């Protein structure tokens, strides 16, 4: 498996030749699960999560000891259309907060023992206004993909990626509309808190953006380049890198899911190593998850972004593996299995 890429075309080639899960490890994990001291299926979805994780790690009895959280930050030219309740300067200010350890994601990463990394991507140079044409040139898109790829720690055994970028719910909604059609109103939400008039304006902007980039469709990577942001492309780059390293992933919210959707459209099955951490309060998130066949682990009414929902779901996955790998079998416990 090629481990580096020098062009968007080479990245696309990697995407088309991704490794699959280890079927032997899955079979061994399922066999072990059938011997644990519990009735069959008694732990519900925890059992499925455990065998899924084992299959991607190639280990029938693993532990999660080195989770990583990466937050990517980027700015969007489409904010010139007045689609956000906050100014673009907030992106850089929040990056400083992440770096100082003061954000919600810092606390969640710490709570679940995760390494926390922040990558700010050319904040002084927002992407182009997507209502006027492509967000990124080919070179800018490559740089963003590579930033995500390079941010993944090879030693990590679980990855959660997230984002910070004023205007990026508009970008994610445009991606969703371009990939899965419908009306813009089906995909836009309040983001950071726009009012009713702002919501109407946001839908109009999303419609114009998709029309201005019509030639990108239905190519998933071209949709990502033309309608995404640097932080959204970086999340996609990290997702593919994690797959090449057999690192299972947990999705965060609407924007993170938009990045995953671009990969899934570009190559069916590209996100098989990923589970959905939660369904957010952003109205279109559940619909986007359905389109890529992901069932969320949690529904907590969250809409913060910055990997927070995905990080919270790490607790669920760690619990699943703790039970799977730590429980005794009937034979080990001296318990009759009937």
């Amino acid at each position: 498996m090629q481990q580096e890429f020098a062009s968007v075309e080479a990245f696309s080639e990697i995407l088309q030749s991704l490794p699959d899960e280890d079927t032997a490890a899955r079979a061994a994990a399922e066999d072990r699960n059938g011997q644990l001291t519990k009735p069959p299926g008694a732990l519900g979805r925890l059992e499925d999560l455990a065998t899924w994780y084992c299959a991607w790690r190639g280990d029938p009895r693993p532990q999660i000891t080195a989770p990583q959280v990466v937050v990517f930050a980027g700015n969007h030219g489409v904010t010139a259309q007045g689609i956000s309740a906050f100014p673009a300067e907030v992106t850089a200010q929040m990056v400083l907060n992440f770096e100082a350890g003061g954000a919600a994601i810092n606390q969640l990463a710490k709570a679940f023992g995760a390494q926390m990394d922040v990558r700010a991507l050319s904040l002084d140079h927002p992407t182009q206004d997507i209502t006027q044409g492509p967000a990124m040139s080919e070179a800018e898109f490559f740089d963003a993909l590579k930033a995500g790829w390079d941010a993944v720690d090879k030693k990590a055994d679980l990855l959660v990626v997230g984002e910070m970028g004023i205007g990026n719910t508009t970008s994610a909604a445009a991606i969703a509309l371009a990939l899965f059609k419908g009306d813009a109103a089906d995909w836009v939400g309040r983001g950071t808190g726009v009012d009713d008039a702002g919501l109407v304006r946001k839908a109009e902007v999303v419609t114009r953006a998709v029309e201005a980039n019509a030639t990108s469709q239905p190519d998933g990577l071209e949709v990502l380049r033309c309608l995404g942001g640097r932080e959204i492309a970086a999340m996609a780059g990290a997702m593919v890198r994690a797959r090449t390293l057999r690192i299972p992933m947990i999705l965060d919210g609407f924007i993170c899911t938009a990045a995953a959707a671009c990969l899934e459209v570009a190559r069916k099955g590209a996100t098989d190593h990923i589970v959905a951490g939660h369904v957010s309060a952003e109205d279109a998130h559940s619909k986007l998850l359905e389109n890529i066949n992901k069932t969320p682990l949690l529904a907590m009414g969250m809409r913060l972004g910055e990997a927070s929902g995905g990080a919270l779901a790490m607790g669920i996955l760690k619990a699943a593996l703790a039970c799977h790998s730590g429980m005794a079998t009937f034979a080990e416990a001296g318990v009759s299995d009937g």
Side-chain angles (χ1 to χ4, degrees):
M1 168 65 67
Q2 181 181 353
Q3 295 299 302
E4 294 295 337
F5 61 96
S7 66
V8 174
E9 181 180 4
F11 178 84
S12 181
E13 291 172 358
I14 293 173
L15 182 61
Q16 298 304 323
S17 58
L18 295 172
D20 290 323
E21 66 172 37
D22 185 325
T23 55
R26 174 179 283 277
E30 289 173 345
D31 181 65
R32 173 175 171 74
N33 183 55
Q35 300 178 49
L36 297 178
T37 48
K38 58 176 178 59
L43 286 176
R45 196 173 173 196
L46 290 183
E47 298 180 22
D48 297 332
L49 286 170
T51 54
W52 164 82
Y53 183 90
C54 292
W56 284 105
R57 292 302 286 167
D59 182 349
R61 195 175 179 176
Q63 294 180 331
I64 297 174
T65 60
Q68 181 189 18
V69 174
V70 187
V71 179
F72 300 99
N75 274 324
H76 293 252
V78 74
T79 57
Q81 300 294 325
I83 42 74
S84 176
F86 287 88
E89 291 80 6
V90 170
T91 303
Q93 293 164 0
M94 279 303 298
V95 166
L96 293 176
N97 192 30
F98 296 142
E99 292 173 341
I105 186 55
N106 298 97
Q107 318 320 315
L108 291 167
K110 183 178 180 180
F112 295 109
Q115 170 186 327
M116 165 80 183
D117 296 299
V118 184
R119 297 287 186 273
L121 306 172
S122 303
L123 297 186
D124 292 336
H125 299 282
T127 53
Q128 298 301 308
D129 183 346
I130 56 177
T131 65
Q132 307 302 310
M136 291 169 278
S137 67
E138 183 108 345
E140 290 170 330
F141 185 44
F142 168 81
D143 288 344
L145 291 170
K146 192 67 164 56
W149 179 283
D150 291 343
V152 179
D153 187 341
K154 295 179 182 179
K155 296 178 181 178
D157 54 17
L158 179 63
L159 180 64
V160 178
V161 295
E163 43 58 44
M164 176 63 212
I166 298 301
N168 61 12
T169 55
T170 297
S171 187
I175 287 172
L177 178 61
L179 294 179
F180 303 118
K181 309 310 176 186
D183 296 318
D186 298 332
W187 297 108
V188 297
R190 296 190 183 275
T192 50
V194 296
D195 59 17
D196 289 346
L199 197 62
V200 171
R201 181 166 59 250
K202 191 172 180 179
E204 292 171 347
V205 167
V206 166
T207 299
R208 287 163 48 205
V210 172
E211 290 173 349
N213 292 281
T215 58
S216 69
Q217 302 151 45
D219 185 320
L221 291 184
E222 267 296 278
V223 167
L224 181 57
R225 179 182 77 85
C226 293
L227 295 170
R230 289 186 177 91
E231 78 283 27
I232 302 177
M235 287 192 291
M239 290 173 192
V240 174
R241 180 53 168 160
R243 176 71 167 260
T244 70
L245 295 169
R246 297 186 180 277
I247 300 172
M249 290 191 63
I250 302 177
L251 278 181
D252 189 37
F254 180 55
I255 300 151
C256 185
T257 304
C262 290
L263 297 177
E264 190 65 28
V265 168
R267 194 273 201 187
K268 186 173 176 57
T271 62
D272 286 353
H273 66 303
I274 301 174
V275 294
H278 76 131
V279 59
S280 78
E282 190 74 4
D283 291 341
H285 188 208
S286 60
K287 184 184 302 184
L288 193 54
L289 287 171
E290 289 171 7
N291 273 279
I292 62 170
N293 197 30
K294 301 291 183 189
T295 303
L297 300 181
L298 299 168
M300 302 291 287
M302 299 171 69
R303 57 180 181 86
L304 178 61
E306 66 186 47
S308 56
L312 183 61
M314 286 194 298
I316 302 294
L317 191 55
K318 292 185 79 169
L321 268 296
C323 290
H324 176 85
S325 298
M327 285 178 68
T329 64
F330 283 103
E332 290 167 344
V335 175
S336 172
D337 62 356

